[in-house]
Amino acid sequence: MSNLFWLRLYRHPCIFTSSFRGVSLKFLSGSYSGESIMSSKSTFRLAVRVDASSAIGTGHVFRCLALTDEMRRMGSEIVYVCAEAPGHLRDLLIDKGYRVHVIAPDLSLESDAAAMRSVLALDGPFDWLLVDHYKLNADWERAAAGIASRIAAIDDLADRHHDVDLLIDSSHDASQAGLY
């Protein structure tokens, strides 16, 4: 069984396929000669910025868990950062064995990135920062630069701009690349 996702890798359109055998990329145009998504060093380190609440739902956290559970199985170290809110699922993440930092809710984009940088200061450095959040956009991603070597975003709305190295969109296909 395999899952297909449309995404942009280093701003190049490609198809991402994951299965029990691993990950593969098929480029729709051009070629890719950069480093692999997962670092070749012994421990890949990922920070995840995601929220859940009784108001916004839990889908973002479960979408990230689908990725991070597999990455952890492959030996990665993962740290979550979530905003305080009723129904934030912090306990679920902790019960699954993840380290979780909680930041204040409803911060400005710059303050959110600064809070994340602050709580992760002793946990870094990170290879990648994964963000799955409808309110965080290119401005936040620029403010968060430096938290990790690379930034990835999961976005299924295509209603805002991103400034990331990897954009994952499982709702649109390659013919809709202009949405971003």
Side-chain angles (χ1 to χ4, degrees), residues 21 47 51-53 57 59 82 102 127 129 134 164 170:
R21 291 189 179 143
D51 286 343
S53 74
C82 307
V102 177
D127 297 297
L129 166 60
Y134 288 153
V164 296
S170 60

mmCIF file of all heavy atoms in Angstrom, residues 21 47 51-53 57 59 82 102 127 129 134 164 170:
data_model
loop_
_atom_site.group_PDB
_atom_site.id
_atom_site.type_symbol
_atom_site.label_atom_id
_atom_site.label_comp_id
_atom_site.label_asym_id
_atom_site.label_seq_id
_atom_site.Cartn_x
_atom_site.Cartn_y
_atom_site.Cartn_z
ATOM 1 N N ARG A 21 8.181 0.329 2.203
ATOM 2 C CA ARG A 21 9.546 0.208 1.687
ATOM 3 C C ARG A 21 10.304 1.525 1.750
ATOM 4 O O ARG A 21 11.450 1.587 1.379
ATOM 5 C CB ARG A 21 9.516 -0.291 0.255
ATOM 6 C CG ARG A 21 9.050 -1.710 0.171
ATOM 7 C CD ARG A 21 9.231 -2.263 -1.198
ATOM 8 N NE ARG A 21 8.784 -3.646 -1.188
ATOM 9 C CZ ARG A 21 8.167 -4.209 -2.181
ATOM 10 N NH1 ARG A 21 7.917 -3.560 -3.282
ATOM 11 N NH2 ARG A 21 7.789 -5.471 -2.084
ATOM 12 N N ALA A 47 11.656 19.040 14.561
ATOM 13 C CA ALA A 47 10.768 19.803 15.433
ATOM 14 C C ALA A 47 9.450 19.974 14.687
ATOM 15 O O ALA A 47 9.441 20.223 13.482
ATOM 16 C CB ALA A 47 11.372 21.172 15.757
ATOM 17 N N ASP A 51 -1.000 22.589 16.149
ATOM 18 C CA ASP A 51 -1.985 22.824 17.199
ATOM 19 C C ASP A 51 -3.200 21.935 16.997
ATOM 20 O O ASP A 51 -3.494 21.502 15.887
ATOM 21 C CB ASP A 51 -2.467 24.282 17.199
ATOM 22 C CG ASP A 51 -1.441 25.239 17.753
ATOM 23 O OD1 ASP A 51 -0.496 24.788 18.427
ATOM 24 O OD2 ASP A 51 -1.572 26.450 17.502
ATOM 25 N N ALA A 52 -3.885 21.712 18.103
ATOM 26 C CA ALA A 52 -5.197 21.055 18.101
ATOM 27 C C ALA A 52 -5.991 21.700 19.220
ATOM 28 O O ALA A 52 -5.430 22.209 20.182
ATOM 29 C CB ALA A 52 -5.067 19.560 18.345
ATOM 30 N N SER A 53 -7.303 21.697 19.070
ATOM 31 C CA SER A 53 -8.164 22.199 20.143
ATOM 32 C C SER A 53 -9.587 21.764 19.860
ATOM 33 O O SER A 53 -9.905 21.287 18.767
ATOM 34 C CB SER A 53 -8.095 23.732 20.242
ATOM 35 O OG SER A 53 -8.799 24.333 19.180
ATOM 36 N N GLY A 57 -10.162 21.481 16.010
ATOM 37 C CA GLY A 57 -10.126 20.060 15.705
ATOM 38 C C GLY A 57 -8.753 19.460 15.964
ATOM 39 O O GLY A 57 -7.839 20.127 16.447
ATOM 40 N N GLY A 59 -7.213 17.176 13.532
ATOM 41 C CA GLY A 59 -6.670 16.603 12.302
ATOM 42 C C GLY A 59 -5.221 16.916 12.034
ATOM 43 O O GLY A 59 -4.476 16.068 11.533
ATOM 44 N N CYS A 82 3.242 22.925 20.727
ATOM 45 C CA CYS A 82 1.810 23.165 20.559
ATOM 46 C C CYS A 82 1.395 24.350 21.426
ATOM 47 O O CYS A 82 1.945 24.555 22.503
ATOM 48 C CB CYS A 82 1.004 21.946 20.991
ATOM 49 S SG CYS A 82 1.485 20.388 20.228
ATOM 50 N N VAL A 102 4.733 23.404 25.320
ATOM 51 C CA VAL A 102 3.491 24.153 25.143
ATOM 52 C C VAL A 102 3.824 25.640 25.216
ATOM 53 O O VAL A 102 4.526 26.079 26.134
ATOM 54 C CB VAL A 102 2.446 23.765 26.204
ATOM 55 C CG1 VAL A 102 1.181 24.599 26.048
ATOM 56 C CG2 VAL A 102 2.121 22.282 26.101
ATOM 57 N N ASP A 127 17.319 19.148 12.200
ATOM 58 C CA ASP A 127 17.507 19.037 10.757
ATOM 59 C C ASP A 127 16.356 19.709 10.019
ATOM 60 O O ASP A 127 16.572 20.403 9.033
ATOM 61 C CB ASP A 127 17.604 17.560 10.335
ATOM 62 C CG ASP A 127 18.800 16.878 10.953
ATOM 63 O OD1 ASP A 127 19.931 17.291 10.646
ATOM 64 O OD2 ASP A 127 18.602 15.960 11.771
ATOM 65 N N LEU A 129 12.203 21.484 10.469
ATOM 66 C CA LEU A 129 11.050 21.983 11.208
ATOM 67 C C LEU A 129 9.835 21.710 10.339
ATOM 68 O O LEU A 129 9.802 22.123 9.179
ATOM 69 C CB LEU A 129 11.195 23.480 11.471
ATOM 70 C CG LEU A 129 9.947 24.239 11.929
ATOM 71 C CD1 LEU A 129 9.402 23.679 13.232
ATOM 72 C CD2 LEU A 129 10.275 25.725 12.069
ATOM 73 N N TYR A 134 -2.927 26.321 9.917
ATOM 74 C CA TYR A 134 -3.580 27.201 8.956
ATOM 75 C C TYR A 134 -3.269 28.680 9.159
ATOM 76 O O TYR A 134 -3.388 29.472 8.238
ATOM 77 C CB TYR A 134 -5.099 27.006 8.987
ATOM 78 C CG TYR A 134 -5.565 25.695 8.391
ATOM 79 C CD1 TYR A 134 -6.750 25.127 8.813
ATOM 80 C CD2 TYR A 134 -4.832 25.034 7.415
ATOM 81 C CE1 TYR A 134 -7.207 23.923 8.277
ATOM 82 C CE2 TYR A 134 -5.267 23.841 6.879
ATOM 83 C CZ TYR A 134 -6.459 23.282 7.311
ATOM 84 O OH TYR A 134 -6.903 22.110 6.778
ATOM 85 N N VAL A 164 9.234 27.857 2.282
ATOM 86 C CA VAL A 164 9.724 26.609 2.861
ATOM 87 C C VAL A 164 10.562 25.838 1.848
ATOM 88 O O VAL A 164 10.523 26.113 0.645
ATOM 89 C CB VAL A 164 8.554 25.718 3.348
ATOM 90 C CG1 VAL A 164 7.801 26.399 4.472
ATOM 91 C CG2 VAL A 164 7.609 25.361 2.212
ATOM 92 N N SER A 170 -1.675 17.202 0.211
ATOM 93 C CA SER A 170 -2.309 15.959 -0.207
ATOM 94 C C SER A 170 -3.684 16.183 -0.820
ATOM 95 O O SER A 170 -4.355 15.233 -1.191
ATOM 96 C CB SER A 170 -2.422 15.003 0.985
ATOM 97 O OG SER A 170 -3.205 15.604 1.999
#
